[in-house]
Amino acid sequence: DAKTTQPTSMDCAEGRAANLPCNHSTISGNEYVYWYRQIHSQGPQYIIHGLKNNETNEMASLIITEDRKSSTLILPHATLRDTAVYYCIVRPYYGGATNKLIFGTGTLLAVQP
Amino acid sequence: DADVTQTPRNRITKTGKRIMLECSQTKGHDRMYWYRQDPGLGLRLIYYSFDVKDINKGEISDGYSVSRQAQAKFSLSLESAIPNQTALYFCATSDSGQGKGKNEQFFGPGTRLTVL
């Protein structure tokens, strides 16, 4: 079962920040939050992951609440090419059987011109 | 060249036929995975392999089999295809997850399979 809850869809104006929320109220201490995205019918693409500190890379920022029960993925300047389904996934960091990714239905982000 | 390749990219077949989908990777990863995606749904894990001698069932392995011919190759077979196996199939790879790696999975471009 997916351990995360995300809105089904969101809109964002091109050039503005896109803030995608995710609830993971049952997250355990050794689980990280991962974000992937899937542009129409392509293979999913890794975006970012984090444990408890905020993280930033060239694609996005990840803000995790202090109680770790929710997080927000931020695309600082959304472009039309960012239109995709965004998946929030929680899983332990290291391998073993728990290396599997469990995808929910994600959030369809539509960036509007 | 793509790091993870899948062949064929599209396939239409008939009920009862045997189908093999192939996946190859040049990333040197130990771990490989097969997922299927149905319209409007997320990906579901079919099988995964942590090395050449290790094969594990995923969430929805019934009706499927796999073969890890080499570290770089992982094939998915449908022994007798049925219409509800019509889906988009993705192969993925990852490293072993030890050390400071991101434990990131890299996905192929997908194979669109239609069973009539």
Side-chain angles (χ1 to χ4, degrees):
Chain A
D1 293 339
K3 294 182 172 182
T4 63
T5 304
Q6 300 176 253
T8 303
S9 63
M10 295 181 64
D11 288 344
C12 177
E14 189 176 18
R16 303 297 295 269
N19 297 280
L20 291 93
C22 180
N23 288 318
H24 31 79
S25 58
T26 61
I27 194 170
S28 59
N30 68 340
E31 288 183 317
Y32 283 63
V33 180
Y34 282 76
W35 283 84
Y36 280 72
R37 75 179 182 183
Q38 185 177 22
I39 297 171
H40 181 63
S41 294
Q42 296 181 20
Q45 175 191 24
Y46 166 87
I47 301 173
I48 198 167
H49 76 282
L51 180 63
K52 57 183 178 181
N53 298 319
N54 298 337
E55 302 287 345
T56 295
N57 63 19
E58 66 279 4
M59 292 182 68
S61 295
L62 175 60
I63 309 298
I64 302 174
T65 58
E66 189 171 349
D67 63 8
R68 303 209 322 121
K69 293 185 177 181
S70 66
S71 60
T72 301
L73 178 74
I74 301 172
L75 308 179
H77 305 287
T79 71
L80 298 178
R81 289 175 294 180
D82 291 322
T83 292
V85 177
Y86 287 77
Y87 296 99
C88 172
I89 300 166
V90 295
R91 67 170 183 178
Y93 183 72
Y94 290 110
T98 49
N99 191 238
K100 298 176 289 183
L101 291 173
I102 299 176
F103 288 83
T105 53
T107 296
L108 173 59
L109 175 68
V111 180
Q112 309 292 340
Chain B
D1 289 339
D3 294 319
V4 184
T5 57
Q6 294 183 231
T7 56
R9 295 294 311 280
N10 290 282
R11 182 70 184 269
I12 299 173
T13 190
K14 295 182 178 180
T15 297
K17 294 292 186 180
R18 183 178 188 274
I19 296 296
M20 178 180 286
L21 309 183
E22 300 189 0
C23 177
S24 295
Q25 54 110 349
T26 58
K27 300 192 73 67
H29 288 163
D30 292 327
R31 301 183 172 189
M32 299 186 73
Y33 312 79
W34 276 104
Y35 294 87
R36 69 174 276 176
Q37 185 173 35
D38 296 282
L41 300 179
L43 281 71
R44 291 182 292 168
L45 184 65
I46 306 173
Y47 270 96
Y48 60 102
S49 169
F50 284 174
D51 64 38
V52 175
K53 299 180 180 179
D54 178 82
I55 302 290
N56 303 280
K57 293 182 177 180
E59 307 168 68
I60 52 165
S61 58
D62 288 348
Y64 301 95
S65 62
V66 291
S67 174
R68 187 79 183 269
Q69 302 95 321
Q71 185 196 39
K73 296 184 182 297
F74 192 36
S75 300
L76 176 71
S77 294
L78 288 66
E79 296 300 327
S80 180
I82 56 177
N84 75 2
Q85 291 178 313
T86 293
L88 188 55
Y89 290 84
F90 289 103
C91 173
T93 74
S94 71
D95 64 22
S96 63
Q98 300 303 312
K100 300 182 68 175
K102 291 186 292 190
N103 218 6
E104 171 187 357
Q105 289 192 15
F106 294 83
F107 286 80
T111 294
R112 187 171 298 279
L113 176 66
T114 302
V115 184
L116 302 177

